[in-house]
Amino acid sequence: MKLSATVLNRVVAATAVTAIVAVGSSFTATAQAQTISGAGATFPAPLYERYAREIKKKYPKLGVNYQGVGSGAGIRQFIAGTVDFGASDAAMTDAEIAKVSRGAILVPTAGGAVAVVYNVPGVNNLKLSRKTLPAIFSGQITNWNDPQIKADNPGANLPNQPIRPVVRADSSGTTFIFTNHLSTISPYFKGRVSAGTAPKWTITNVLKGKGNPGVANLVSRTGGSVGYVEYTYALANKLNTAQVQNKGGQFLAPSLQSANQALSNVSFPDNFRVFVGDPTQGYPIVGLTWLLIYKNYPDAAKGSAVKNFVNWALTDGQQINDDLNYTRIPPSTAQKVIQTVNSAIK
């Protein structure tokens, strides 16, 4: 699917996305304008920007201001109560949820792939096996002509050049999805780095970028680099994406089809919290993203606004996901989320 020019420009140029959204069928023509504010993950920022534009056409009475500041910052602001909703690609832990005095509901809105992007002149169709990829990001492999990379890419003209890994500088749900996969398939990586939104990278020669846009920008202008970004950012920046080996031994590039395949067997529990470490099929580095909403809104108008936004995002809004290469939430799960939200927020 092609991305709109607006989305492309914002993904490339911005580290934060601010969207003014109109929602809420319960708002009458004479209702007072209402604005709710949220912050969090950059992973779904292009999607939420599109949600914002489409919803605004139909419901002009309510504005939603969303800033893509990273999942870690989104969770912190949600816990502190400085936003009306948060957003994260790393589901909140029990300990984090316990800190939210007003109660918390995790609302899955989309899924997607994390692309391994690289900038190695003369190298196309790079393949990275389940052994090679975690070895690069744990510091075991440090040069592009390493025998292990050569074995994955017979006949490729791999340069005698140091690898420049690019990771996130901020606490990141995209990082969690990436490191969760590497920790699942590599005991060495798990012991050395482990899964997390802000792991302690032990690799040398590392570069750090803020948000998905920051990592994409660093990879695009740094020869010999390799990093990870949400798939939409790879497309927007026209970055080379590696084919990654999945559990079945296939080398697959990220795509909407391969991400859908990977997430097709996900089973959502009652709290809608899922961690996808190593799917049985499809592109292997995938995850979900959540809105974080309160169970209790002292301001009834804000609660109504949040409720209506969630209802729209999980029904009409899901039709937009495909356009931006995000997977949809299964309709049966979406309906359960809507029922939970509608009963919790009065």
Side-chain angles (χ1 to χ4, degrees):
M1 298 288 182
K2 291 185 178 180
L3 298 172
S4 68
T6 301
V7 174
L8 288 174
N9 290 337
R10 296 206 180 178
V11 172
V12 175
T15 59
V17 175
T18 300
I20 303 300
V21 191
V23 297
S25 57
S26 64
F27 291 87
T28 66
T30 57
Q32 195 172 32
Q34 192 65 231
T35 298
I36 57 176
S37 298
T42 62
F43 182 102
L47 178 65
Y48 293 165
E49 191 269 347
R50 178 69 177 273
Y51 280 179
R53 193 168 66 251
E54 296 301 323
I55 278 184
K56 188 175 177 66
K57 296 175 183 177
K58 190 171 184 179
Y59 302 112
K61 280 293 177 180
L62 181 68
V64 177
N65 183 312
Y66 179 74
Q67 294 184 334
V69 294
S71 293
I75 290 174
R76 288 193 297 273
Q77 291 185 41
F78 180 70
I79 291 172
T82 57
V83 291
D84 299 311
F85 65 92
S88 178
D89 315 320
M92 293 181 74
T93 65
D94 289 342
E96 289 170 335
I97 292 173
K99 296 177 183 178
V100 185
S101 60
R102 291 158 56 188
I105 303 173
L106 275 61
V107 176
T109 56
V114 172
V116 177
V117 292
Y118 65 97
N119 180 351
V120 185
V123 177
N124 298 308
N125 302 314
L126 179 70
K127 294 180 180 179
L128 296 173
S129 67
R130 291 164 71 83
K131 185 178 180 181
T132 302
L133 182 59
I136 290 173
F137 281 89
S138 59
Q140 291 175 290
I141 293 177
T142 60
N143 201 289
W144 280 111
N145 69 350
D146 186 274
Q148 206 160 292
I149 302 180
K150 285 184 175 182
D152 292 344
N153 300 271
N157 185 25
L158 295 162
N160 182 13
Q161 181 180 5
I163 296 173
R164 299 297 306 274
V166 183
V167 302
R168 288 283 287 270
D170 52 330
S171 181
S172 156
T174 305
T175 296
F176 175 80
I177 293 170
F178 184 66
T179 57
N180 184 45
H181 173 66
L182 297 191
S183 292
T184 303
I185 66 173
S186 169
Y188 183 87
F189 183 91
K190 183 177 182 179
R192 187 89 169 172
V193 182
S194 192
T197 56
K200 293 182 179 179
W201 296 102
T202 57
I203 44 181
T204 59
N205 211 27
V206 67
L207 299 172
K208 295 184 177 183
K210 186 174 181 180
N212 277 287
V215 172
N217 181 54
L218 278 172
V219 172
S220 68
R221 59 187 177 86
T222 306
S225 62
V226 60
Y228 56 90
V229 295
E230 193 277 323
Y231 180 44
T232 301
Y233 293 83
L235 291 175
N237 289 273
K238 299 180 180 179
L239 296 171
N240 286 325
T241 58
Q243 296 178 50
V244 179
Q245 190 178 32
N246 69 6
K247 198 169 191 175
Q250 294 176 294
F251 284 92
L252 295 174
S255 68
L256 178 59
Q257 180 182 3
S258 61
N260 270 319
Q261 196 176 14
L263 293 170
S264 62
N265 294 322
V266 168
S267 178
F268 288 84
D270 290 341
N271 65 1
F272 310 114
R273 184 170 59 184
V274 176
F275 303 101
V276 186
D278 189 23
T280 57
Q281 58 185 352
Y283 183 77
I285 315 175
V286 291
L288 297 159
T289 193
W290 292 265
L291 291 176
L292 314 174
I293 67 171
Y294 300 106
K295 291 181 178 179
N296 177 31
Y297 285 88
D299 185 331
K302 285 187 181 291
S304 180
V306 171
K307 184 191 295 186
N308 281 293
F309 177 58
V310 169
N311 276 256
W312 183 90
L314 290 178
T315 51
D316 293 348
Q318 290 295 294
Q319 299 176 41
I320 296 170
N321 290 28
D322 288 356
D323 292 346
L324 301 183
N325 290 287
Y326 293 89
T327 67
R328 301 186 188 194
I329 300 303
S332 59
T333 299
Q335 284 305 310
K336 289 179 182 177
V337 176
I338 289 172
Q339 290 170 8
T340 299
V341 171
N342 288 348
S343 62
I345 302 177
K346 304 297 184 183

